[in-house]
């Protein structure tokens, strides 16, 4: 996913910055991380207050197998609902949820 597309998707939040992170990209707004791009997939920040919304929309959580212990590790990032990629108003709702989760996390 190129930077121009990411800027378009998060336009409702205002200016974003994009930095290398986890071998992918971190997307920030006002210094708050709101999303990551991992293995070409955009994943939005979530927390205990917003996880139910992501689950209800059929999103999947980013997990990976830890190299030291071989156990599944769940990250606080979830896939974007398919409809949001084609509907700027819908994406604005999800981007705002991700921003609010990032603010609550203090990062």
């Amino acid at each position: 996913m190129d930077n121009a597309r990411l800027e378009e998707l998060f336009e409702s939040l205002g200016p974003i910055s994009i930095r290398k992170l986890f071998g992918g990209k971190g997307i920030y707004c006002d210094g708050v991380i709101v999303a990551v791009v991992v293995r070409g997939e955009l994943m939005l920040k979530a927390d205990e207050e917003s996880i139910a919304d992501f689950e209800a929309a059929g999103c999947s959580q980013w997990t990976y197998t830890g190299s030291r212990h071989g156990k599944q590790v769940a990250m606080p990032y979830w896939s974007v609902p398919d409809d949001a990629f084609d509907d700027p108003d819908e994406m604005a709702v999800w981007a705002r949820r991700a921003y609010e989760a990032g603010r609550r996390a203090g990062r």
Side-chain angles (χ1 to χ4, degrees):
M1 184 164 296
D2 69 19
N3 290 1
R5 178 67 172 141
L6 291 170
E7 289 168 354
E8 178 185 347
L9 288 169
F10 290 96
E11 185 174 43
S12 66
L13 292 181
I16 61 167
S17 61
I18 302 167
R19 303 179 205 153
K20 291 183 181 183
L21 183 69
F22 301 129
K25 299 176 182 181
I27 296 91
Y28 298 80
C29 178
D30 296 330
V32 174
I33 189 161
V34 296
V36 294
V37 177
V38 179
R39 294 183 293 273
E41 184 176 5
L42 179 62
M43 309 291 282
L44 299 173
K45 179 84 169 171
D47 65 4
E48 292 303 317
E49 288 189 38
S50 61
I51 286 174
D53 295 324
F54 284 90
E55 289 175 331
C59 301
S60 58
Q61 187 173 17
W62 173 24
T63 61
Y64 69 93
T65 303
S67 60
R68 284 190 260 162
H69 49 68
K71 296 179 184 176
Q72 283 294 108
V73 177
M75 298 296 287
Y77 296 93
W78 290 69
S79 61
V80 178
D82 290 336
D83 296 345
F85 283 108
D86 298 322
D87 182 342
D89 293 332
E90 184 70 13
M91 186 61 194
V93 170
W94 290 100
R96 176 60 51 189
R97 281 188 181 123
Y99 177 74
E100 290 169 359
R103 285 187 50 110
R104 285 189 294 269
R107 299 183 191 117

